[in-house]
Amino acid sequence: MTLTTPARGRTGTRDADGMAVASFVLGLLGLLVMNLLLGPIALVLSGLALWRGTARRGRALLGAFLGAADLVVLAVLVGVDHTVSWSFGG
């Protein structure tokens, strides 16, 4: 028989769900700005959310995909412009 408090179990799941949502939002935002910073953060948060057993598994997987896409966009832009910074205007 294990003694756990119900509040602690819900808090852990809620934290993992929050990480999943945060990874999705940061990955999406990273496609527009600061992809060098936001992409890896989205990857780490999605990995942590999946490891902790989030109920929002799809959102965590999307966060991981978007975080990786941030880094791919950065690599393409560096290959084209030979610089890490970029802007919308010419």
Side-chain angles (χ1 to χ4, degrees), residues 10-64:
R10 284 193 304 254
T11 302
T13 304
R14 202 172 0 173
D15 289 346
D17 292 347
M19 285 183 211
V21 172
S23 71
F24 173 72
V25 170
L26 292 176
L28 194 59
L29 186 61
L31 288 173
L32 299 174
V33 293
M34 298 191 317
N35 46 8
L36 179 63
L37 179 66
L38 297 180
I41 292 173
L43 285 171
V44 169
L45 284 176
S46 66
L48 285 173
L50 290 170
W51 182 67
R52 290 185 176 188
T54 181
R56 298 178 186 260
R57 185 172 169 80
R59 205 153 289 164
L61 291 173
L62 278 172

Side-chain angles (χ1 to χ4, degrees), residues 58-75:
R59 205 153 289 164
L61 291 173
L62 278 172
F65 174 76
L66 289 170
D70 292 347
L71 298 177
V72 168
V73 167
L74 177 66

